[in-house]
Amino acid sequence: MAQPALFIAHGSPTLAIGNDDYIDFLRQLGQKTLKRPRAVVIFSAHWDSSVQLLTEDETHATIHDYYGFPEEMYSIRYPAPGQPELSKEIGALFGSCNLPFRPVSGRGLDHGAWVVLRAMFPDADIPVVELSVDSKRSPSEQYAIGKMLAGLRDEDVLVIGSGGLVHNLRLLDREGAAPASWAVLFDDWIGEQLGKWNLRSLFEYEKKAPHVREAVPSYATEHFAPLFYAMGAADHDRKALKLYQGYEYGSLSLNCWRFGSLE
């Protein structure tokens, strides 16, 4: 059975030290629900580049790319191995599709990648290749790049897009209010289109989705982009299943969608 592709919201960096329903869900997902993959390929919202980049390290450092958080968050390490052979295979796939790319050594995993993976695979023993996103590309181009990697799922590689569907830091409610109605309406609209695999509407979400300016502000489109990369990796079977939907700080959505094989 092929591995699915996943879109996973990484929420606030404090997810790294949290112990709530979403953390419990991610632990269950990685350790019980999914078949253990031989490797993970993860597109992170926190690596935005006009050139497609990918890691090629033997072992990853842990990047603490956030500021003003509890001190304990800066001592966390997630020393997952890399897999240079898989990086080369991905590069060959990009090359065969005429996509310019560049392997990168020594960067490490940013928190968009390691926070999610640490919850799912806490032993840090599954090889990881991190890939950049390009928030300036159109959704259809982002989807096409994900599609280039669809065959990896048949090789027991789990493809993940890590970001956030509703990600507007300027509209957060630090008091922990109930979910904002506009955020729920946006997420529900996206969910309806995903359920129908309605690419036409999804590719035009900036014009069609309700409350899109609040949900995906111009300064945070990189957090929405991983959705399309993950979807593209499941283009061959085009099935979507919502696994989780929740919120923190009123409007920061915590969504997880499974694409492809739904068993």
Side-chain angles (χ1 to χ4, degrees), residues 145-156:
I145 292 172
K147 184 178 177 179
M148 295 174 194
L149 306 185
L152 294 179
R153 293 174 44 227
D154 294 320
E155 300 176 16
D156 207 17

Side-chain angles (χ1 to χ4, degrees), residues 75-176:
S75 62
I76 296 173
R77 298 291 181 270
Y78 188 74
Q83 193 170 87
E85 297 83 4
L86 178 58
S87 299
K88 291 178 182 178
E89 182 178 356
I90 293 170
L93 292 170
F94 288 154
S96 68
C97 295
N98 298 313
L99 176 69
F101 69 96
R102 187 169 73 246
V104 175
S105 298
R107 176 182 183 270
L109 300 177
D110 58 61
H111 82 269
W114 70 258
V115 168
V116 167
L117 295 175
R118 181 169 173 263
M120 295 174 65
F121 309 114
D123 293 333
D125 58 352
I126 296 177
V128 178
V129 176
E130 183 174 339
L131 291 91
S132 64
V133 300
D134 183 355
S135 62
K136 303 300 183 185
R137 286 185 181 270
S138 68
S140 61
E141 291 175 312
Q142 294 162 352
Y143 185 99
I145 292 172
K147 184 178 177 179
M148 295 174 194
L149 306 185
L152 294 179
R153 293 174 44 227
D154 294 320
E155 300 176 16
D156 207 17
V157 175
L158 177 64
V159 179
I160 298 175
S162 173
L165 299 187
V166 180
H167 189 91
N168 190 336
L169 302 184
R170 297 172 186 171
L171 295 181
L172 299 184
D173 186 339
R174 300 292 180 179
E175 300 303 317

Side-chain angles (χ1 to χ4, degrees), residues 207-261:
K207 297 178 181 178
K208 295 186 175 183
H211 304 288
V212 66
R213 296 299 169 222
E214 296 94 336
V216 190
S218 59
Y219 68 86
T221 55
E222 77 284 347
H223 274 76
F224 196 79
L227 174 70
F228 295 117
Y229 288 92
M231 288 184 71
D235 180 76
H236 297 336
D237 34 11
R238 297 193 170 196
K239 297 175 182 177
L241 178 66
K242 181 169 66 178
L243 301 182
Y244 192 97
Q245 182 172 333
Y247 299 86
E248 57 181 345
Y249 304 121
S251 62
L252 191 64
S253 65
L254 302 174
N255 306 82
C256 182
W257 282 85
R258 179 172 182 152
F259 304 127
S261 54

Side-chain angles (χ1 to χ4, degrees), residues 44-57:
S44 172
H46 288 276
W47 199 9
D48 195 358
S49 171
S50 59
V51 175
Q52 181 63 60
L53 305 175
L54 68 157
T55 61
E56 61 173 3
D57 299 293

Side-chain angles (χ1 to χ4, degrees), residues 22 27-28 32 41 57 64-65 92-93 122 141 166 188 190 231 239 254:
Y22 189 53
R27 290 169 178 158
Q28 178 81 16
K32 294 184 179 180
V41 170
D57 299 293
H64 303 98
D65 51 339
L93 292 170
E141 291 175 312
V166 180
D188 287 349
I190 295 295
M231 288 184 71
K239 297 175 182 177
L254 302 174

